[in-house]
Amino acid sequence: MKLQSRYQECLLPLCALVFLTSLFCSVCSQGTRFIHSAALDVDGRYNIKWGFDESTITFEVEVETRGYIGFGLSPTGAMSSSDIVIGGVLSGSPYLLDYYTDSNRKVHKDALQSYQLLYGRENDTHTVLAFSRNLQTCDDNDKVITGSTVRVIWAFHAEDVRVSGPVYHGTNRGRKSLRLLNPGTSSSIPAGTAFFDLQNEEVPVPHKDTTYWCQIFKFPELKKKHHIIRIEPMIQKSHENLVHHILLYQCDSDLNKSEINRRHECYHPNMPDSFFTCETVLFAWAIGGEGFTYPPHVGMSIGTSIDPVYVQMEIHFDNPSLQRGIVDNSGLRLYYSPSLRRYDAGVIETGVWVSLYHMLPPGMQDYITEGHCTQECLQESLDSEMPSGIHVFAVLLHAHLAGRAIRARHFRQQVELQPLASDDQFDFNFQEFQPLSQERIILPGDSLITECRYNTKGRMNMTWGGLSTLDEMCLSYLLYYPRVNLTRCESLPEIIGQLKFIGVKEIHEPVTTWPFVIKSPKKYSNLSFTEAMDKYKWTRKRGKAFNDIVRKLPMNVRCSKIGQDEWSIQGVIISPPELKSEQTSAAVVACRNVSEIQCGRSLALLLTACLLLILQTCLHL
């Protein structure tokens, strides 16, 4: 009895310690369920799942190999300057090592091992590893994980890591852009949901770098109101890099039925007149996106007298290698339901009005443009349509090849609130709607700025605003409810101030050609304004000075209704607002919290040591 009593005395603190340890571990693991997933290669050999909470992200990687698995975060999608973890299962025991690469792509073992192995296993064909790390490790060799686009790199090999390090992976590698902390909407909708397709039929893609192709469709004739609840792309296999984005516009409801299925190159001199009636953006998809599911309380209304009847689908083909003989059958699939949601959705296009007046000097590391959705436009339109404001629930940020970062900024009484959406690692080949974690109310008198940061270092001439992939855009598409009669809220800096910067004094008037022609000074005489801008000897210092001036110039306001109607503020020249403050991003955890992280790790080690000590004591009784 005495020996049993001694064992009970030993087991009581042991059980208490086990309870505390399990409690500690359960707290650590909260919020790390694998609720997101992605295939990183087209053949489905490399798949990841992940989950995250406010400080930690956890991955499970399943790969078709019995050797090592490599997983990393890269600033550009290339190997250099990347944060990498390599692991596998060797002789039944899982292993995981934290590495990084320098600017010459040389692999180094990280002195601070920030990735924690959770488990690993393998069978005859596959290896599975699960591991976690903090979003902010405060290690200079690790990439901070934020809500911005992350370029994930991956690799694997048939052999495990050797004593000398991992064997070169060869062609078993790749990259994929993801938003790990803002991965988009679920594709799940009720089984049996009806759908219809808007789809190209054997469209010959011209052998030029940029083509916008348009076709008019008619929505299904419905006897009562329905809601579209999901829209997803149907991209022809092997055309994933050809179809860059798709826009869906509402056309005039009085079009003749003969216009149905009419197709032609958009923005072409011979484009049919009916295409000019298609002005209101209904939906936008861009490369890398996997479709959008509307929230359960919102849908796109179809079937009523004010809803779209005829629509135009505009597809941007990006063909930089000038391939010939391509025929495309891509399009959109729209799922709709008679079970109505509470609100009708709308889309507002904001940012810089697409125009040659939006220009970027060459050789610039960081050039910033701002497109304003002005207080005056939102005041007039929302006061008339929805004085209580509209609710934004998703944002698509859009630029072209020079784009590096985009923010959709929100101001109330000239004081900046948190951004509607932002992407500090913008990827031209990965653009999709970002659902907001919390809906944002836009009130009459608020203002918005779409801010784009560009890099034109490798370019010798001006980059112009325009439709080509080599031109630039700076846009954000806001999905919101309830629907109001506002489709575009944009701005464009006045051209006169931009021309004065390079010394232009006078232009030929009346303006009869486009681009218009310079009259004086002599060095620009009879040059178009685009030729004059290219002739100017740009330097980084001059580009910076030009940027500072352009952001302060008066701007032309665009404030458009459905169709071709306009609010009265449209075309008015106003000055940019005086801003009182700027929010800093809360996405990055301050490194002062590293002591808390270390404390947590120390607690886990302390509990383990205590457990071993108690076990040793009990065994010696």
Side-chain angles (χ1 to χ4, degrees):
M1 292 292 292
K2 188 175 182 181
L3 183 63
Q4 183 180 3
S5 175
R6 292 292 301 276
Y7 266 100
Q8 287 175 341
E9 290 174 4
C10 178
L11 286 172
L12 283 173
L14 179 60
C15 291
L17 187 58
V18 170
F19 170 76
L20 288 172
T21 304
S22 64
L23 179 63
F24 173 80
C25 292
S26 68
V27 170
C28 291
S29 63
Q30 284 180 1
T32 58
R33 293 181 298 115
F34 301 129
I35 59 176
H36 309 293
S37 62
L40 298 192
D41 71 317
V42 295
D43 298 319
R45 298 173 300 166
Y46 197 120
N47 296 278
I48 66 168
K49 298 177 183 178
W50 74 94
F52 57 89
D53 58 24
E54 65 279 357
S55 62
T56 308
I57 188 164
T58 304
F59 296 96
E60 183 186 84
V61 181
E62 181 178 14
V63 183
E64 190 177 326
T65 184
R66 286 175 54 83
Y68 77 70
I69 294 170
F71 177 86
L73 309 175
S74 166
T76 62
M79 188 74 171
S80 60
S81 305
S82 294
D83 173 14
I84 299 171
V85 63
I86 299 176
V89 178
L90 182 62
S91 301
S93 298
Y95 62 92
L96 191 79
L97 294 168
D98 186 357
Y99 293 89
Y100 68 92
T101 58
D102 58 29
S103 58
N104 295 317
R105 300 184 296 174
K106 187 175 181 180
V107 178
H108 305 272
K109 189 175 179 181
D110 200 331
L112 179 60
Q113 294 286 298
S114 303
Y115 290 82
Q116 307 300 312
L117 175 65
L118 302 179
Y119 57 81
R121 61 180 182 269
E122 69 178 8
N123 57 25
D124 292 339
T125 59
H126 286 73
T127 297
V128 175
L129 289 176
F131 49 89
S132 66
R133 57 155 280 190
N134 292 301
L135 304 178
Q136 165 65 285
T137 67
C138 298
D139 178 359
D140 291 340
N141 297 319
D142 293 339
K143 303 302 178 191
V144 180
I145 298 175
T146 69
S148 295
T149 297
V150 177
R151 291 159 176 82
V152 172
I153 57 174
W154 57 268
F156 63 88
H157 196 278
E159 299 179 22
D160 280 292
V161 176
R162 300 173 178 175
V163 175
S164 59
V167 182
Y168 179 61
H169 45 66
T171 59
N172 294 322
R173 62 181 173 83
R175 56 154 285 181
K176 187 179 181 71
S177 288
L178 299 170
R179 272 194 292 274
L180 294 173
L181 305 189
N182 188 10
T185 60
S186 169
S187 61
S188 60
I189 54 175
T193 300
F195 65 85
F196 60 93
D197 296 338
L198 310 177
Q199 190 172 7
N200 282 341
E201 292 185 10
E202 303 293 313
V203 170
V205 179
H207 55 281
K208 57 183 181 179
D209 64 353
T210 298
T211 300
Y212 285 78
W213 186 262
C214 287
Q215 182 168 341
I216 290 181
F217 298 87
K218 187 178 183 182
F219 273 178
E221 293 186 8
L222 303 171
K223 294 181 179 179
K224 64 176 184 177
K225 179 175 179 173
H226 288 63
H227 269 142
I228 292 173
I229 61 174
R230 176 171 170 77
I231 304 178
E232 61 187 24
M234 298 188 301
I235 308 302
Q236 182 172 326
K237 189 172 178 58
S238 79
H239 287 193
E240 290 82 3
N241 291 323
L242 175 72
V243 180
H244 187 265
H245 68 251
I246 304 176
L247 288 174
L248 194 62
Y249 295 94
Q250 180 175 344
C251 304
D252 190 329
S253 297
D254 295 328
L255 285 183
N256 192 295
K257 289 185 178 180
S258 63
E259 299 293 336
I260 299 174
N261 295 326
R262 176 172 285 200
R263 59 187 193 172
H264 199 280
E265 187 173 341
C266 318
Y267 314 110
H268 188 277
N270 296 327
M271 188 176 78
D273 291 342
S274 56
F275 285 23
F276 290 102
T277 74
C278 308
E279 292 280 341
T280 302
V281 176
L282 295 174
F283 186 74
W285 171 88
I287 190 167
E290 297 182 358
F292 186 83
T293 302
Y294 288 85
H297 55 296
V298 187
M300 182 195 297
S301 178
I302 57 173
T304 78
S305 60
I306 62 171
D307 290 336
V309 176
Y310 297 98
V311 296
Q312 180 190 85
M313 184 175 70
E314 173 189 296
I315 296 185
H316 171 193
F317 293 116
D318 183 27
N319 184 18
S321 58
L322 308 181
Q323 297 180 65
R324 294 176 179 269
I326 302 176
V327 176
D328 183 69
N329 293 278
S330 300
L332 296 172
R333 174 162 291 176
L334 296 84
Y335 293 86
Y336 65 105
S337 171
S339 300
L340 299 182
R341 274 86 187 283
R342 184 175 180 182
Y343 299 106
D344 294 341
V347 183
I348 300 175
E349 179 183 289
T350 70
V352 179
W353 193 338
V354 179
S355 167
L356 287 175
Y357 293 174
H358 175 207
M359 56 187 85
L360 320 176
M364 301 299 294
Q365 177 75 38
D366 289 300
Y367 189 88
I368 297 173
T369 62
E370 296 174 339
H372 292 251
C373 176
T374 64
Q375 174 182 342
E376 292 81 0
C377 178
L378 289 175
Q379 187 81 55
E380 181 182 10
S381 58
L382 296 187
D383 265 346
S384 173
E385 295 275 323
M386 193 60 59
S388 59
I390 56 174
H391 296 245
V392 176
F393 59 87
V395 179
L396 185 147
L397 304 171
H398 182 63
H400 285 177
L401 286 171
R404 294 295 180 271
I406 310 180
R407 288 192 295 167
R409 301 168 66 185
H410 183 197
F411 298 84
R412 181 163 294 156
Q413 297 177 347
Q414 281 73 52
V415 175
E416 186 164 14
L417 309 179
Q418 284 294 328
L420 290 173
S422 64
D423 192 343
D424 295 329
Q425 300 293 326
F426 177 77
D427 184 350
F428 172 73
N429 292 309
F430 179 66
Q431 304 182 47
E432 66 176 355
F433 272 106
Q434 299 182 34
L436 305 191
S437 56
Q438 291 185 326
E439 294 177 356
R440 184 73 63 84
I441 298 178
I442 308 296
L443 296 174
D446 284 3
S447 62
L448 308 172
I449 297 177
T450 302
E451 176 191 277
C452 295
R453 187 179 299 272
Y454 300 99
N455 183 315
T456 61
K457 279 189 71 173
R459 303 190 179 191
M460 303 303 294
N461 294 313
M462 295 292 290
T463 297
W464 305 99
L467 300 174
S468 169
T469 301
L470 295 174
D471 294 334
E472 267 309 329
M473 293 185 179
C474 182
L475 298 170
S476 53
Y477 293 92
L478 314 182
L479 280 177
Y480 73 94
Y481 69 86
R483 180 176 56 180
V484 296
N485 196 4
L486 176 64
T487 60
R488 285 186 171 92
C489 185
E490 298 166 327
S491 72
L492 192 63
E494 275 276 84
I495 185 61
I496 299 302
Q498 298 185 71
L499 291 175
K500 281 183 178 179
F501 180 85
I502 67 168
V504 171
K505 296 180 179 179
E506 190 177 7
I507 66 173
H508 282 285
E509 292 184 310
V511 174
T512 58
T513 60
W514 180 255
F516 58 76
V517 177
I518 307 298
K519 186 174 183 180
S520 67
K522 187 177 181 180
K523 63 179 178 179
Y524 297 137
S525 180
N526 294 320
L527 295 180
S528 68
F529 85 82
T530 54
E531 291 170 330
M533 279 287 179
D534 273 332
K535 184 176 180 179
Y536 184 72
K537 294 182 179 179
W538 291 100
T539 63
R540 263 184 282 183
K541 184 176 180 180
R542 288 175 173 179
K544 175 66 169 60
F546 180 71
N547 198 181
D548 292 340
I549 286 174
V550 170
R551 293 169 71 185
K552 297 174 183 177
L553 286 176
M555 53 193 184
N556 195 319
V557 172
R558 189 179 199 185
C559 191
S560 305
K561 296 182 179 181
I562 294 173
Q564 297 177 304
D565 294 332
E566 302 165 350
W567 291 96
S568 66
I569 194 69
Q570 170 100 0
V572 172
I573 306 297
I574 63 173
S575 296
E578 294 288 335
L579 305 177
K580 295 181 181 178
S581 67
E582 183 172 339
Q583 294 287 334
T584 56
S585 174
V588 179
V589 179
C591 283
R592 58 184 169 79
N593 292 338
V594 71
S595 58
E596 299 172 12
I597 296 167
Q598 292 171 339
C599 180
R601 290 175 179 170
S602 300
L603 178 58
L605 292 172
L606 179 62
L607 288 171
T608 303
C610 290
L611 179 59
L612 289 172
L613 180 62
I614 292 174
L615 284 171
Q616 288 174 350
T617 303
C618 291
L619 290 173
H620 285 84
L621 288 176

